[in-house]
Amino acid sequence: MLKLMKYEIRRRLQIILIVLAVMAFIEGLILFGLYRGGPWLLTSFILTILMAIGVYLFILFDSIRTYYIDLNRNEGYMLFLTPNSGYRIIGSKALVSFLELVFFVLILVSFLLINFFTAKNLLINSSMEAKEMYDAITQAFQIFTPSVGHIFLLSLTTVLQWFSIIMMATLAITLTKTILSNTRLSWLISLGFFIAIYTGLQFLDMGIISIFGFINDMSNLANTAVITENDFPTISGIIFKYVTIMTVVYSAYISIFYLISGRLVSKRINI
Amino acid sequence: MVVLKTSKLSKLFGGKYAVKEADIMLEAGKIYGLLGPNGSGKSTLMKMVAGLFHPQNGKITVLDIPAGTETKKYVAFMSTEQFFYGYMTIRQVGGFYNDFFDFDMKKYERLAKGMELEMDMKVSSLSSGMAAKLKVAATMSRNASIYMLDEPLNGIDLIAREVIITSIIEQLNENNVILISSHLINVMENILDEIILIKNGSIVFRDAAENIRMKRQKSIVEIYKEVFSIA
């Protein structure tokens, strides 16, 4: 498995380095905007959002791209001729995607922290609005992440959620190759499978959290007329109840997608 | 020793048989020619043995082991298409094979040098002829029980052909078998021990090259033309 991972990383390395360089450039622009202040602040804010979305999309597309090439182009022979089962091949790709995801999330979080503290130091005393915004953000942090453990759990769930999307895409591509191996526009059929699985799981997610009392919890929250600091632990408790549930649910999805994809690659797929 | 055995092996594509109930048995120490026109099922049959295609029906065993992940250790398959990752250098291709297979790196380097391939060249920068040479060098440097070469001389110049044919003969021993498909029957004729003719997915003829020459008093090219009705 480690050998497969080594080649998977080597293969992705060039594009990873390019994305890192682009991120560094964007981060430079964001910091420049923060220092300049005024209308530049909005640019910095938009760039921050775009960078975060871009990084997540890049990891998804990079994982899809390498797997799609292996299944649909002749280069894939090199991989599938090796004495490795479908489970190992899918497993190595999944682990590299996961590591890539964690790596980029850590970089992204580092950039976000740098931006936050830079903005705080530069702007907090500049106006009343800036002070109010800072207070609102710190208050939100108190509710959403009251402890380091909560920060870790929230980060883990976010990573697992996106990783489950990557594995869902892997399954969609595998299903297309299994059922309709010689079809043109197979990527379009894969996209269809992906949307179908994604939609189905959205309903399943709603069903699962409903079982754990989601509707009641939301009604109780809505009935609270004025939220005070005393309500923070309750709100945080409710949020993290569902964060914990979804961590388990996403882990289950990832395992199921992995097992089905691995079996199909081992037993059914014609490369 | 039987290295490869297939029984009633079939593969359908779009409802049409690419290979139909193929029974073959390859014994160690021989070079077999799998011959047939385009679309006759040669590549599909090889890809099933290599584990790239899954058969609809039938069985494949390599050294009495049912074909699967395990048997890929013993099967060295060279497809007719260029199949190495473009980002790799020729040295890294060797490293890849060395990591996953029983591989003779020194032989690989020797073959690559003999075919004028430089180890630091990138796969993506190779001409089709050079890529064809690289495929042969990598495949023939494996220590496998069965070598399957799909059109090994495609795109190869006259000088390099000799290097390739020599490397094929050198690799043969009493423990392995070589299966070659080629359109260049007259070039390969002298090195083949047995020929298997495949037509529309079915094995239609099989005999030892010596029998063809001695008993039938014909060349392999003549038999080929006879079976495939080429005037």
Side-chain angles (χ1 to χ4, degrees):
Chain A
M1 184 90 115
L2 285 175
K3 285 176 184 170
L4 286 172
M5 287 175 70
K6 178 176 89 176
Y7 287 101
E8 189 68 22
I9 291 169
R10 269 192 193 173
R11 213 176 147 191
R12 298 187 190 191
L13 200 58
Q14 192 180 18
I15 197 156
I16 286 174
L17 292 174
I18 292 169
V19 171
L20 280 175
V22 172
M23 282 179 78
F25 177 72
I26 294 173
E27 176 63 11
L29 286 179
I30 292 168
L31 290 174
F32 176 76
L34 292 177
Y35 278 104
R36 288 293 297 268
W40 283 88
L41 286 176
L42 182 65
T43 312
S44 292
F45 179 72
I46 292 169
L47 282 175
T48 306
I49 302 286
L50 287 178
M51 183 164 69
I53 294 170
V55 162
Y56 275 92
L57 286 179
F58 158 70
I59 296 156
L60 174 65
F61 288 126
D62 193 33
S63 305
I64 290 172
R65 180 186 64 89
T66 53
Y67 186 49
Y68 188 85
I69 287 172
D70 278 335
L71 284 189
N72 292 289
R73 295 201 196 152
N74 297 329
E75 290 104 288
Y77 291 175
M78 200 170 181
L79 175 65
F80 287 99
L81 284 173
T82 63
N84 289 293
S85 67
Y87 297 104
R88 270 195 180 186
I89 290 170
I90 297 285
S92 65
K93 286 178 175 296
L95 274 173
V96 170
S97 294
F98 185 74
L99 291 175
E100 194 180 1
L101 182 61
V102 170
F103 173 72
F104 274 103
V105 165
L106 285 176
I107 289 177
L108 196 63
V109 168
S110 308
F111 282 172
L112 291 176
L113 287 174
I114 290 169
N115 297 347
F116 179 74
F117 287 111
T118 305
K120 181 194 158 193
N121 291 333
L122 290 171
L123 305 169
I124 193 163
N125 296 320
S126 66
S127 68
M128 200 60 194
E129 288 83 7
K131 176 82 173 66
E132 280 170 6
M133 188 183 282
Y134 174 74
D135 289 342
I137 290 170
T138 47
Q139 199 176 51
F141 265 104
Q142 278 175 12
I143 298 172
F144 288 112
T145 53
S147 71
V148 177
H150 285 89
I151 294 172
F152 175 75
L153 186 60
L154 196 61
S155 309
L156 178 70
T157 311
T158 313
V159 168
L160 286 180
Q161 182 183 19
W162 200 245
F163 186 52
S164 72
I165 299 276
I166 292 171
M167 293 306 291
M168 196 187 294
T170 301
L171 176 62
I173 295 169
T174 313
L175 279 173
T176 309
K177 187 70 182 169
T178 308
I179 300 166
L180 303 154
S181 60
N182 291 318
T183 314
R184 284 180 185 184
L185 297 176
S186 59
W187 64 271
L188 203 62
I189 297 161
S190 296
L191 184 66
F193 275 127
F194 177 80
I195 292 169
I197 299 168
Y198 183 81
T199 310
L201 290 185
Q202 290 300 302
F203 286 110
L204 189 59
D205 287 351
M206 285 309 295
I208 290 167
I209 58 173
S210 297
I211 292 169
F212 287 92
F214 182 73
I215 295 163
N216 271 346
D217 287 338
M218 288 301 111
S219 305
N220 292 341
L221 267 185
N223 290 335
T224 310
V226 180
I227 294 174
T228 63
E229 270 192 38
N230 293 334
D231 297 316
F232 288 177
T234 314
I235 298 169
S236 174
I238 291 171
I239 290 168
F240 277 92
K241 175 182 162 186
Y242 294 105
V243 167
T244 309
I245 291 166
M246 290 321 289
T247 304
V248 177
V249 170
Y250 293 140
S251 303
Y253 289 164
I254 291 162
S255 307
I256 292 166
F257 297 152
Y258 163 70
L259 289 171
I260 298 174
S261 302
R263 179 157 182 84
L264 288 175
V265 168
S266 283
K267 302 285 179 193
R268 296 286 301 275
I269 274 188
N270 297 316
I271 303 302
Chain B
M1 178 177 70
V2 174
V3 180
L4 172 72
K5 192 177 176 186
T6 72
S7 57
K8 303 278 179 199
L9 191 65
S10 297
K11 180 73 187 168
L12 286 144
F13 284 119
K16 196 182 166 209
Y17 278 103
V19 172
K20 191 177 180 185
E21 300 191 339
D23 294 329
I24 58 171
M25 198 167 76
L26 306 188
E27 290 170 350
K30 290 182 179 174
I31 300 178
Y32 291 82
L34 181 64
L35 311 174
N38 291 334
S40 56
K42 304 184 298 287
S43 299
T44 305
L45 189 117
M46 284 184 168
K47 283 177 181 175
M48 281 194 281
V49 175
L52 294 175
F53 286 173
H54 292 282
Q56 251 89 18
N57 291 305
K59 278 184 185 172
I60 305 168
T61 55
V62 176
L63 299 171
D64 285 332
I65 305 166
T69 305
E70 177 67 15
T71 57
K72 288 181 182 179
K73 288 178 191 166
Y74 311 114
V75 178
F77 172 60
M78 192 204 87
S79 101
T80 190
E81 305 94 352
Q82 198 294 104
F83 60 93
F84 298 124
Y85 288 123
Y87 78 87
M88 286 183 172
T89 61
I90 290 176
R91 191 185 311 282
Q92 285 170 338
V93 169
F96 182 94
Y97 270 62
N98 202 34
D99 273 346
F100 292 105
F101 304 109
D102 184 358
F103 190 71
D104 186 341
M105 197 66 180
K106 281 188 179 156
K107 183 178 181 186
Y108 175 69
E109 286 171 355
R110 180 168 56 81
L111 282 175
K113 197 177 171 187
M115 294 186 219
E116 296 177 341
L117 297 170
E118 287 167 31
M119 298 306 274
D120 293 323
M121 288 171 118
K122 262 188 123 179
V123 169
S124 58
S125 71
L126 298 179
S127 67
S128 58
M130 288 168 122
K133 290 175 190 173
L134 176 61
K135 283 189 299 179
V136 175
T139 309
M140 297 316 290
S141 300
R142 279 188 58 189
N143 295 313
S145 298
I146 173 165
Y147 296 84
M148 293 190 300
L149 311 173
D150 196 358
E151 300 290 353
L153 302 181
N154 260 13
I156 303 279
D157 56 77
L158 275 172
I159 308 296
R161 272 183 197 177
E162 277 191 30
V163 178
I164 288 170
I165 290 173
T166 307
S167 74
I168 291 170
I169 297 168
E170 269 179 10
Q171 197 65 22
L172 185 71
N173 62 41
E174 68 276 14
N175 295 316
N176 64 30
V177 62
I178 298 172
L179 179 66
I180 304 171
S181 88
S182 180
H183 286 106
L184 300 166
I185 305 163
N186 49 349
V187 180
M188 303 301 288
E189 180 158 10
N190 292 333
I191 68 162
L192 300 179
D193 294 306
E194 285 201 27
I195 63 158
I196 300 165
L197 299 187
I198 183 167
K199 187 178 182 181
N200 298 327
S202 301
I203 307 292
V204 290
F205 181 90
R206 179 181 173 155
D207 204 354
E210 202 176 296
N211 279 345
I212 294 169
R213 284 187 215 105
M214 305 298 284
K215 291 184 185 167
R216 297 177 194 252
Q217 299 280 308
K218 283 178 180 168
S219 68
I220 294 173
V221 175
E222 284 169 324
I223 284 288
Y224 184 92
K225 285 180 176 175
E226 204 175 286
V227 171
F228 296 107
S229 304
I230 301 167

